[in-house]
Amino acid sequence: MERFKINGTVLEKYIEEKGITEDTIPEGITKIDVEAFANCQSLNTITIPKSITKIDYRAFYECLSLKKVNILGNITKIEECAFFNSDLTDIILPDSLKEIGKDAFAYCTNLTSIIIPDNVEKIGNFAFYHSGLININIPNKIKKIGKLTFANCRDLRKVVLSDSVERIGRKAFDGCTNLEEVILPKGLKRIDYRAFNDCIKLTSITTPESLDNICKDAFKNCKGLLSVIDKFKLEMKQYKSYILPYVSRNKELFHFIIYEMDKYLTHSEAIKILSEITDTEMKAILFEYINNNFDLDTAKPLDNLDLGEFGGDQKTKKI
């Protein structure tokens, strides 16, 4: 076929032909080469035969009319930028798939739904950046959500992460302004910097017991997030200094933390946090609460801490 430039079993280039909007790659081809279909303007539907095992880098890059892809082959990896900025609305990924490359579906703004097969073990950074996804379920073999993987998916409303996920990467869901529900896995250990930044409709989230590291600004600008109680109980229990700037910008949330503090912190941990807070009003509130709610007879001393500026009683100054 004149439309298909083939070298051995590799499809090197697709030549558009006027009037053809649907096409099928010939059986026997094993690989769609780099940029083979890139910038096709009229192709609407493509069928990929069973013989294909690889879709290479930018294979369907900026195919602005491509809406439907039928994958019949035993593909194990979709390479970087394979469908970047295409008009894709319908694609069924094969069960053989193990890896989705970086930027593979980035800027596919009309792609509202996709089922990630159970055998997928890795999803690359930016893989679905600024796509049109509404819901996403992460299967059981994936351990990490990469950097900016679902960032700026502004129609995304619900995320379900399998129990295999141990880490949510840097800015993974940054800018998902309609995200309302996130189900975190039981085995989650770390949420990276600004993972949920600007998720302004997120109103509640429950963190698992396994989670021991919530990085700075993980939930920055989540203006509706007032019931993330478990997260802040954990953060205060860990008394990581990097959470203090976040807490100090949300006085309502700070007050809640203070009223629950003695249930989750030792006296020394509370004093440690007090020594690091710079906001004068909050420091005074915390100082008073420590005085009134901790059993100072059983508290362990923390040396070299000057609390005299608050005019507290002498039993606290001794600590």
Side-chain angles (χ1 to χ4, degrees):
M1 297 183 184
E2 293 183 0
R3 297 187 305 280
F4 299 95
K5 182 181 177 182
I6 299 169
N7 184 2
T9 61
V10 176
L11 172 56
E12 293 185 338
K13 192 65 179 177
Y14 178 78
I15 310 299
E16 287 190 273
E17 189 173 308
K18 187 177 180 179
I20 295 182
T21 59
E22 299 184 14
D23 220 332
T24 300
I25 296 172
E27 187 68 45
I29 301 298
T30 59
K31 175 185 173 182
I32 303 173
D33 210 0
V34 174
E35 298 186 344
F37 289 84
N39 299 303
C40 283
Q41 300 300 305
S42 59
L43 192 63
N44 177 275
T45 302
I46 188 72
T47 298
I48 298 173
K50 292 181 179 180
S51 57
I52 297 284
T53 58
K54 185 175 183 180
I55 299 175
D56 216 331
Y57 173 68
R58 303 207 332 176
F60 294 92
Y61 181 84
E62 293 195 338
C63 290
L64 299 181
S65 296
L66 183 63
K67 296 185 180 299
K68 186 174 183 179
V69 177
N70 301 314
I71 301 178
L72 306 178
N74 294 315
I75 294 168
T76 58
K77 182 179 180 181
I78 296 175
E79 293 287 347
E80 182 176 339
C81 297
F83 295 95
F84 184 96
N85 198 31
S86 74
D87 201 37
L88 198 61
T89 60
D90 185 4
I91 184 170
I92 298 176
L93 302 178
D95 291 339
S96 57
L97 190 66
K98 293 185 177 180
E99 183 174 349
I100 298 172
K102 177 183 176 183
D103 284 302
F105 296 95
Y107 291 97
C108 292
T109 55
N110 290 318
L111 184 64
T112 59
S113 177
I114 196 167
I115 297 174
I116 300 176
D118 289 340
N119 287 320
V120 172
E121 299 172 353
K122 182 179 179 181
I123 300 176
N125 297 338
F126 300 86
F128 293 94
Y129 182 88
H130 210 306
S131 69
L133 293 177
I134 296 173
N135 300 302
I136 193 68
N137 286 270
I138 302 299
N140 287 321
K141 292 186 179 180
I142 293 174
K143 292 187 176 181
K144 179 184 177 181
I145 306 300
K147 180 173 67 175
L148 290 147
T149 300
F150 297 98
N152 285 329
C153 292
R154 292 172 184 165
D155 294 319
L156 189 63
R157 287 171 172 77
K158 182 177 180 180
V159 174
V160 179
L161 304 175
S162 70
D163 288 341
S164 62
V165 175
E166 298 178 353
R167 181 173 179 176
I168 299 175
R170 185 182 180 93
K171 296 187 176 184
F173 296 95
D174 183 13
C176 294
T177 52
N178 281 297
L179 183 61
E180 298 172 347
E181 183 179 1
V182 178
I183 299 177
L184 297 180
K186 295 177 181 178
L188 186 65
K189 296 179 180 179
R190 178 184 174 99
I191 300 177
D192 280 346
Y193 173 75
R194 295 197 178 187
F196 293 94
N197 179 50
D198 281 334
C199 295
I200 58 177
K201 289 192 177 180
L202 191 61
T203 57
S204 73
I205 193 168
T206 300
T207 57
E209 290 296 323
S210 59
L211 185 60
D212 58 13
N213 198 336
I214 302 176
C215 290
K216 179 180 178 181
D217 292 337
F219 293 89
K220 182 178 174 64
N221 295 327
C222 294
K223 298 177 181 179
L225 198 58
L226 297 178
S227 57
V228 61
I229 295 171
D230 287 339
K231 166 189 175 293
F232 282 101
K233 287 176 184 175
L234 177 65
E235 287 189 335
M236 296 303 271
K237 190 174 182 180
Q238 295 295 319
Y239 61 91
K240 303 288 189 184
S241 62
Y242 55 65
I243 66 142
L244 296 174
Y246 178 84
V247 174
S248 67
R249 288 195 298 271
N250 190 327
K251 294 190 177 183
E252 182 178 351
L253 199 50
F254 177 85
H255 290 172
F256 169 80
I257 294 166
I258 297 306
Y259 298 147
E260 295 287 306
M261 178 173 287
D262 60 312
K263 298 178 183 178
Y264 303 99
L265 296 178
T266 66
H267 178 263
S268 294
E269 288 170 342
I271 293 292
K272 169 71 171 173
I273 291 172
L274 178 61
S275 71
E276 295 174 352
I277 290 179
T278 57
D279 185 284
T280 302
E281 178 186 349
M282 293 183 178
K283 202 174 185 84
I285 293 170
L286 177 53
F287 174 80
E288 180 181 359
Y289 193 78
I290 290 173
N291 256 356
N292 294 336
N293 291 276
F294 282 94
D295 181 0
L296 299 181
D297 293 332
T298 59
K300 296 180 181 180
L302 195 67
D303 296 331
N304 302 319
L305 181 63
D306 181 13
L307 301 178
E309 61 182 294
F310 298 103
D313 61 33
Q314 292 301 311
K315 64 178 181 179
T316 304
K317 288 183 181 179
K318 291 178 183 177
I319 293 170

